[in-house]
Amino acid sequence: MEPAKMQRQGKNLSTRSPHGCSNCRRSKVKCDEQKPSCTRCWRKDLQCSSPVQLRWESTYRDRGVAFGRSGVWAKSLPTKGQGQGQGQGQSASFPNGTTWLSTPTIHSWAFVNNDTSFIQRLSEEEQDHAKRHLLPAFDAKIAIGEQQPNEIILSSLSSPKSSPHQAICIDEAFTPTIPSSPGLFPSLDVVGNRVLFDYYINQICPRTGHGALSQSPFVSVILPYCISAPPTVLRAIQALAACHWSQYDPQYTNISLRLKSRVLMDFRKQINVGRTVLASKDRELLVIAMFLCLFDIVDHCDQQWIVHLQGAKDIIRLRKRQQLLTGPNEGTQQDEVSSFVELFFAFQDVMGRTACAKADLFGSSYWCEDDITINPWMGCSPALVSILFSVMDLSRSRRDMVSDEDQMTFDLRANALNNNLAHLKQECSVPEQDRTIQRVAELKKLACLVFLNCALFGGRPSDPLIKSYIRNMLQEIVKLLDLERSCHVIWPLFVAAVELDPLDVELSVHPDTQSMTDGRRLVFELLEKMAKSSVSSVSRTRVVIEQVWKARDFSLSSSSEPKRPSISDINDWEQYVVPVSDALSLV
């Protein structure tokens, strides 16, 4: 209302308080709106409250009265000459403080028929909208093996005109499609749902390497194999892609479960054959088991992925036994695909055992203590994994020590492992290789030092050496994730988090800026950043970390520092980490 008009109608304006309490409104007196109780309610010892009331336009329209600002706010009644159709001829008898809901504007739309180009454009817009929630695009060009030296565009490997809408309709509904030229993977014509395979190439493969995209075995080894792979393998890849995509878009949850069920049915048929036939198809079966294992790690990371791990161990053992029976002249040379898949399962076994401290499944034959060359996929050298394997075995043998001689032997082996790890120099196979891989390898070496001190020497978060290691690890993780979002540093972050001192509330994140932050808050921020660029089960890792922190906080109620346990007693890692880390994947 204009100021001049307000002055003319000043005598007729309402003098009620706009936010008065319900008692004053009921008595029709002005409320002074004091908080938490107005003066009138305080004097009369009444409960003072100002409830919010929602008013609906349909209710007032049925009663024939004005709604909202369509009425007159003054106490004076309007004259007969004022039009009621415009909201100026009805009396406003609403209580002050009424909350009004705005009515959205309704537009008229015209629907017309369109050609295939229009439908294609809508599909591409829908695909662009879905990818806004995903990791930004990586380098779009890679080299596939030695037999394919030319660079190819990732988005056109399977189908240049695929859209997410095609993945939603799995052999159940008709979707307008545009004919495309034959793709690089012929089995996709049988399997269908090319967009899920595109998702695997563009979104999952970049998350499986520390450096350049071509260094990931899921690109350099698995993709060339997919050119001639049977449909079940491609369907297993699509199931993993749909499962990972469902973390951002729930509509792909049912699709992933449906694809996984189909893969399990085919997998069950293939393993229910004779041993000779099974050994001859071991490469296909191992690749399927690997993607089923990754599916369950991404999905819930429960005991299911351990089942696939054990099944892969049995297939590998059967294959090696069959090779011994056929003799060395029958061709026992292992192909590149089988070598990588076996390495995948063996590495998953070692890294998972660091948390749960269970017996190994694949043994130490995969890790050469003299091989210091950094594997780009593992992010460390086989020599480092060999030391880590020996640390876990030696820690498990502590309970069996019964004499002073056993303890002396334990001390000698523990000091030897500590000395070997301290002097380990990991090297890249190519000197010009990405510097990030070298830094990741050194970070994992530092995490291995923390694990060794906790598992063999009874180290605790309050120890100065452990605190120094943890601070350096967190600073390096921050730098690496700022430099390369897809770095596989879930295991170093897990080690740093579970051995973080509960009383260490301030950590220097950036040595250059000397900015300080809370240690636990920093861990949560790093986990959130890693969840967007990883195929690991970051959510399950966070749950385990929170459980460890709760147990440590509960033990802080003790007024005195607990006595350091002997070598044969339970150590800090076994007390807080092992009980809650069963079936945890840290790759």
Side-chain angles (χ1 to χ4, degrees):
M1 184 178 293
E2 299 178 357
K5 190 173 182 180
M6 292 178 60
Q7 293 178 0
R8 293 193 301 268
Q9 298 182 359
K11 297 182 180 180
N12 295 328
L13 289 176
S14 172
T15 57
R16 295 181 182 178
S17 54
H19 304 290
C21 67
S22 56
N23 293 326
C24 294
R25 290 178 181 276
R26 193 179 302 109
S27 301
K28 298 182 179 181
V29 297
K30 185 176 181 179
C31 179
D32 58 5
E33 301 181 10
Q34 295 293 327
K35 300 296 180 183
S37 177
C38 68
T39 304
R40 183 172 178 274
C41 292
W42 178 75
R43 290 176 178 176
K44 294 181 175 292
D45 195 18
L46 300 175
Q47 183 177 1
C48 187
S49 61
S50 302
V52 177
Q53 297 181 356
L54 296 177
R55 306 293 182 180
W56 305 98
E57 182 181 8
S58 58
T59 304
Y60 288 89
R61 185 171 59 249
D62 296 340
R63 292 168 51 189
V65 295
F67 174 75
R69 295 185 179 274
S70 60
V72 180
W73 289 89
K75 284 186 176 181
S76 59
L77 294 176
T79 60
K80 290 185 178 181
Q82 293 175 332
Q84 296 181 2
Q86 302 297 326
Q88 298 178 354
Q90 298 180 2
S91 174
S93 59
F94 315 119
N96 294 332
T98 302
T99 301
W100 306 104
L101 300 178
S102 59
T103 304
T105 305
I106 306 300
H107 299 280
S108 59
W109 296 96
F111 295 92
V112 296
N113 296 325
N114 293 278
D115 55 7
T116 57
S117 61
F118 178 79
I119 299 177
Q120 176 183 344
R121 182 174 62 83
L122 292 181
S123 300
E124 292 175 350
E125 291 176 356
E126 183 181 0
Q127 183 177 7
D128 294 337
H129 175 73
K131 287 186 177 180
R132 292 193 190 104
H133 306 284
L134 306 177
L135 186 69
F138 284 76
D139 186 9
K141 297 183 178 181
I142 60 171
I144 302 237
E146 298 180 355
Q147 299 178 354
Q148 298 289 336
N150 298 328
E151 293 183 341
I152 57 178
I153 305 300
L154 289 182
S155 60
S156 63
L157 281 175
S158 58
S159 174
K161 301 297 183 182
S162 58
S163 67
H165 187 64
Q166 292 172 315
I168 301 174
C169 308
I170 298 187
D171 301 330
E172 293 181 355
F174 172 77
T175 304
T177 57
I178 300 174
S180 58
S181 59
L184 187 61
F185 305 96
S187 296
L188 283 178
D189 297 334
V190 179
V191 178
N193 303 294
R194 298 174 180 271
V195 66
L196 294 178
F197 195 78
D198 287 342
Y199 183 90
Y200 165 79
I201 297 173
N202 290 291
Q203 299 298 333
I204 293 184
C205 287
R207 291 173 163 91
T208 57
H210 294 87
L213 183 59
S214 59
Q215 296 174 353
S216 171
F218 287 90
V219 175
S220 59
V221 177
I222 299 300
L223 279 185
Y225 169 68
C226 289
I227 296 177
S228 58
T232 306
V233 173
L234 298 186
R235 194 172 285 113
I237 293 176
Q238 292 174 338
L240 171 63
C243 180
H244 191 274
W245 204 343
S246 66
Q247 310 298 317
Y248 308 95
D249 193 345
Q251 69 175 333
Y252 290 95
T253 302
N254 294 334
I255 300 174
S256 65
L257 295 177
R258 201 174 307 159
L259 288 170
K260 180 187 177 183
S261 177
R262 179 73 179 274
V263 172
L264 288 174
M265 291 175 58
D266 296 340
F267 188 70
R268 188 178 296 110
K269 293 178 182 178
Q270 297 187 42
I271 62 177
N272 290 332
V273 294
R275 294 188 175 184
T276 304
V277 180
L278 186 62
S280 64
K281 302 172 61 176
D282 69 299
R283 183 173 70 166
E284 174 187 346
L285 297 177
L286 288 176
V287 173
I288 296 174
M290 179 182 68
F291 283 106
L292 288 175
C293 183
L294 283 173
F295 182 102
D296 289 323
I297 290 175
V298 173
D299 192 16
H300 293 100
C301 195
D302 51 12
Q303 290 288 344
Q304 292 298 322
W305 76 273
I306 302 294
V307 175
H308 301 304
L309 201 69
Q310 294 171 340
K313 181 197 71 171
D314 294 337
I315 295 175
I316 295 172
R317 183 178 57 184
L318 179 61
R319 193 262 319 271
K320 292 183 178 180
R321 183 181 305 173
Q322 192 70 22
Q323 289 176 350
L324 292 176
L325 294 176
T326 56
N329 296 328
E330 296 293 335
T332 59
Q333 184 67 27
Q334 189 168 357
D335 61 283
E336 188 179 19
V337 176
S338 299
S339 299
F340 165 65
V341 176
E342 290 185 15
L343 181 67
F344 170 86
F345 287 117
F347 193 56
Q348 286 279 0
D349 180 38
V350 171
M351 305 311 293
R353 285 201 311 125
T354 59
C356 64
K358 289 188 175 182
D360 63 278
L361 292 176
F362 284 81
S364 59
S365 60
Y366 294 90
W367 318 112
C368 179
E369 60 182 9
D370 298 329
D371 189 357
I372 61 175
T373 304
I374 300 175
N375 184 293
W377 173 70
M378 296 193 306
C380 61
S381 64
L384 178 65
V385 184
S386 177
I387 295 175
L388 186 61
F389 191 96
S390 301
V391 169
M392 290 184 290
D393 280 356
L394 185 59
S395 177
R396 288 174 56 85
S397 66
R398 292 183 304 107
R399 304 293 181 85
D400 300 331
M401 294 188 305
V402 295
S403 62
D404 294 339
E405 183 179 357
D406 293 338
Q407 185 164 349
M408 184 179 300
T409 303
F410 178 89
D411 292 339
L412 291 175
R413 293 181 59 188
N415 291 327
L417 288 173
N418 189 26
N419 184 64
N420 293 339
L421 182 59
H423 293 86
L424 176 63
K425 300 296 183 181
Q426 304 180 91
E427 300 176 355
C428 293
S429 57
V430 181
E432 296 80 11
Q433 210 168 28
D434 193 354
R435 174 63 180 167
T436 304
I437 300 179
Q438 184 73 42
R439 296 177 60 178
V440 171
E442 293 301 319
L443 175 63
K444 292 190 176 183
K445 175 184 174 180
L446 195 58
C448 191
L449 281 171
V450 174
F451 179 76
L452 184 147
N453 279 274
C454 295
L456 301 184
F457 300 118
R460 295 176 298 190
S462 58
D463 295 345
L465 181 62
I466 300 297
K467 295 179 67 173
S468 175
Y469 285 156
I470 298 302
R471 288 174 178 266
N472 293 336
M473 289 171 60
L474 291 177
Q475 291 177 1
E476 185 64 14
I477 292 173
V478 170
K479 296 178 182 178
L480 283 172
L481 291 182
D482 290 341
L483 182 66
E484 185 68 43
R485 296 180 59 187
S486 62
C487 285
H488 295 176
V489 291
I490 185 69
W491 183 67
L493 181 57
F494 175 79
V495 174
V498 297
E499 290 298 327
L500 181 66
D501 188 3
L503 302 179
D504 201 357
V505 296
E506 289 188 353
L507 291 176
S508 177
V509 181
H510 297 284
D512 299 334
T513 60
Q514 297 296 326
S515 59
M516 307 296 291
T517 185
D518 180 76
R520 294 185 174 181
R521 176 183 177 181
L522 176 62
V523 170
F524 282 149
E525 292 176 353
L526 293 175
L527 286 172
E528 183 179 359
K529 181 181 295 186
M530 198 176 301
K532 302 176 182 179
S533 58
S534 173
V535 191
S536 306
S537 179
V538 179
S539 58
R540 171 77 197 287
T541 305
R542 171 168 178 160
V543 170
V544 173
I545 291 174
E546 290 178 351
Q547 291 176 334
V548 173
W549 286 351
K550 291 177 182 178
R552 291 195 184 279
D553 292 344
F554 184 77
S555 64
L556 287 177
S557 58
S558 178
S559 58
S560 60
E561 181 74 12
K563 183 180 178 181
R564 184 176 294 275
S566 62
I567 295 179
S568 59
D569 293 336
I570 185 172
N571 56 37
D572 179 85
W573 190 276
E574 294 172 335
Q575 180 180 357
Y576 294 103
V577 183
V578 172
V580 295
S581 302
D582 192 24
L584 179 63
S585 173
L586 294 173
V587 176

